[in-house]
Amino acid sequence: MITIKTNDVLAGRGTGSNQFEGNVKFRALVEKRKQEYKTRVKHKEKKKIAYEILSQIHERGGRFLKLTEESTQVEDVVENGFCQEETE
């Protein structure tokens, strides 16, 4: 069982995940790099920016989590390959 920590980012929609402290921090990191990301033309450059943001979350001890289908537990989406696919 995974315990949710304040630096974790919770996948999902709605107030719960949007207001979660880790998600707020994540969105702030994304916002700081947003303009730089938009100006990049090459996919490789955009992928690098996304990877750097993921790395910053991990350096703070954060993980990317989502509720399981049963909604009783969370799973680490990076360990399951989701975030890797999203940044490729």
Side-chain angles (χ1 to χ4, degrees), residues 4-69:
I4 300 172
K5 301 175 185 174
T6 59
N7 285 323
D8 291 335
V9 178
L10 305 178
R13 297 174 184 247
T15 307
S17 61
N18 281 336
Q19 292 180 351
F20 186 72
E21 185 176 349
N23 291 49
V24 172
K25 293 175 185 177
F26 173 67
R27 284 195 310 276
L29 289 173
V30 169
E31 189 62 36
K32 285 181 186 177
R33 305 290 301 270
K34 190 175 185 178
Q35 193 59 39
E36 177 186 3
Y37 184 89
K38 285 182 174 183
T39 62
R40 299 295 187 239
V41 176
K42 295 182 180 180
H43 179 72
K44 186 177 182 179
E45 294 171 338
K46 290 184 175 200
K47 182 179 173 181
K48 182 177 184 256
I49 292 169
Y51 179 77
E52 289 170 354
I53 293 169
L54 294 177
S55 294
Q56 285 182 296
I57 295 296
H58 287 136
E59 287 169 7
R60 295 177 179 179
R63 301 160 297 173
F64 291 83
L65 306 174
K66 71 173 185 174
L67 285 173
T68 61
E69 289 183 19

